[in-house]
């Protein structure tokens, strides 16, 4: 399954043809499903079902969008997406794949039903192919739609994470918020989106692996883990602050650069 996951991701990020990109996304979805439902717990099965339905819908929309574009323009090149209807459908499909507002409802639920290691894959590796597609098609997409989605994602991601006690749900809302930051800048400076994604993936990996080793899944258990591994917990505190984007930590860098770029574009 891990091999299929890597194959699917590689196919999508290296493809130039819509059908190959779609096939890569499908392989990815099918490879992660058994990992989500591995524990046979009812919640895990529910998470797998929700994940499958969402991703299948998003993939269908992606295929539909590329077909309309190919029908109108006669070519399947990812970078040549010129049809306005296709652009709008593609934006919805990628937003659904990533979990951007207003298609974000599945993500916290799915992450809550999965083990921490699979949750890590869902938050980082599974987001990479859709972000690559967004990167490749960004010049054609409507900046107003992207900006609206991005602002809503950043606001709701931060706001809805406030009343959670489950760590995985908090991390899911953190992911939604970060994706908002990535989406808002994609039309103006796509390289910043990638930088933000790499740093987000790095910090999230550190957080998930620490939580996995301390076996903490709720905030109440996190309170008592410092007795087991004080050094690891201090590192986790710094990682979480970095994930929140506080200066002078690494997580502040992409936000700073994004705000600077938005100011140049008269957006901020």
């Amino acid at each position: 399954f891990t091999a299929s996951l890597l194959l699917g991701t590689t196919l999508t990020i290296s493809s130039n043809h819509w059908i190959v990109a779609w096939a890569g996304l499908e392989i990815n979805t099918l490879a992660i499903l058994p990992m989500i439902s591995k524990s046979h717990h009812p919640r895990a099965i529910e998470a797998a079902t929700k994940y499958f339905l969402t991703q299948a819908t998003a993939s269908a929309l992606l295929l539909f969008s590329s077909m309309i574009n190919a029908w109108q323009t006669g070519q399947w090149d990812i970078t040549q997406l010129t049809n306005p209807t296709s652009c709008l459908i593609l934006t919805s499909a990628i937003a659904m794949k990533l979990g951007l507002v207003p298609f974000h409802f599945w993500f916290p639920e799915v992450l809550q039903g999965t083990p921490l290691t699979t949750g890590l894959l869902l938050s980082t590796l599974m987001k990479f192919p859709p972000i690559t597609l967004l990167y490749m098609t960004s010049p054609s997409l409507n900046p107003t739609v992207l900006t609206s989605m991005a602002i809503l994602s950043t606001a709701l991601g931060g706001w809805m994470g406030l009343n959670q006690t489950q760590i995985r749900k908090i991390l899911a809302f953190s992911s939604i918020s970060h994706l908002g930051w990535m989406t808002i800048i994609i039309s103006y400076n796509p390289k910043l989106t990638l930088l933000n994604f790499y740093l987000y993936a790095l910090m999230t990996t550190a957080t998930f692996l620490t939580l996995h080793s301390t076996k903490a899944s709720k905030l109440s258990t996190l309170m008592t883990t410092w007795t087991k591994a004080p050094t690891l917990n201090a590192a986790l505190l710094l990682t979480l602050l970095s994930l929140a984007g506080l200066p002078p930590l690494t997580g502040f860098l992409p936000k700073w650069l994004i705000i600077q770029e938005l100011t140049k574009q008269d957006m901020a």
Side-chain angles (χ1 to χ4, degrees):
F1 289 131
T2 314
S4 301
L5 210 57
L6 292 170
L7 170 72
T9 307
T10 314
L11 260 183
T12 305
I13 63 179
S14 60
S15 65
N16 226 348
H17 194 286
W18 275 116
I19 298 286
V20 182
W22 170 80
L25 289 170
E26 286 297 311
I27 292 170
N28 245 358
T29 305
L30 292 175
I32 197 92
L33 282 173
M35 291 183 180
I36 298 173
S37 55
K38 193 169 58 180
S39 63
H40 298 300
H41 189 277
R43 186 174 276 158
I45 304 298
E46 184 193 344
T49 312
K50 281 180 179 169
Y51 185 76
F52 172 70
L53 291 173
T54 315
Q55 297 297 318
T57 311
S59 292
L61 280 174
L62 184 119
L63 197 58
F64 185 47
S65 133
S66 52
M67 277 168 64
I68 291 175
N69 190 60
W71 192 21
Q72 294 285 334
T73 61
Q75 41 77 34
W76 288 88
D77 194 335
I78 291 181
T79 50
Q80 305 295 318
L81 193 75
T82 48
N83 187 285
T85 319
S86 292
C87 292
L88 205 60
I89 298 173
L90 181 84
T91 310
S92 313
I94 289 182
M96 207 179 280
K97 282 232 167 254
L98 289 171
L100 282 171
V101 174
F103 308 105
H104 65 290
F105 299 104
W106 63 273
F107 190 52
E109 302 292 326
V110 168
L111 212 62
Q112 184 53 37
T114 58
L116 279 166
T117 40
T118 314
L120 170 61
L121 284 176
L122 281 173
S123 302
T124 54
L125 190 66
M126 299 303 288
K127 300 258 188 268
F128 193 38
I131 284 210
T132 314
L133 289 176
L134 199 59
Y135 180 84
M136 289 197 277
T137 53
S138 58
S140 326
L141 301 180
N142 185 337
T144 318
V145 176
L146 287 175
T147 307
S148 314
M149 276 183 172
I151 291 170
L152 280 169
S153 298
T154 312
L156 277 173
W159 187 41
M160 289 171 79
L162 289 176
N163 61 348
Q164 302 296 332
T165 54
Q166 298 286 344
I167 294 172
R168 274 169 295 188
K169 274 197 173 172
I170 294 173
L171 286 168
F173 285 118
S174 147
S175 176
I176 292 167
S177 185
H178 275 85
L179 285 165
W181 282 93
M182 291 176 219
T183 312
I184 199 164
I185 200 65
I186 192 109
S187 315
Y188 307 107
N189 192 340
K191 286 193 175 68
L192 272 184
T193 299
L194 287 188
L195 171 74
N196 196 340
F197 179 73
Y198 295 145
L199 288 177
Y200 162 74
L202 194 70
M203 294 182 292
T204 306
T205 305
T207 311
F208 268 100
L209 292 178
T210 310
L211 292 170
H212 182 65
S213 63
T214 52
K215 301 280 181 287
S217 63
K218 285 201 288 287
L219 282 180
S220 50
T221 47
L222 194 62
M223 306 289 181
T224 53
T225 49
W226 68 271
T227 47
K228 294 184 223 165
T231 325
L232 196 59
N233 238 49
L236 179 65
L237 169 72
L238 285 173
T239 314
L240 288 173
L241 289 176
S242 182
L243 206 52
L246 288 183
L249 299 160
T250 318
F252 176 60
L253 174 73
K255 291 189 175 177
W256 185 19
L257 292 173
I258 286 172
I259 290 171
Q260 191 182 16
E261 186 63 38
L262 288 176
T263 316
K264 281 183 198 164
Q265 303 289 343
D266 290 334
M267 292 272 292

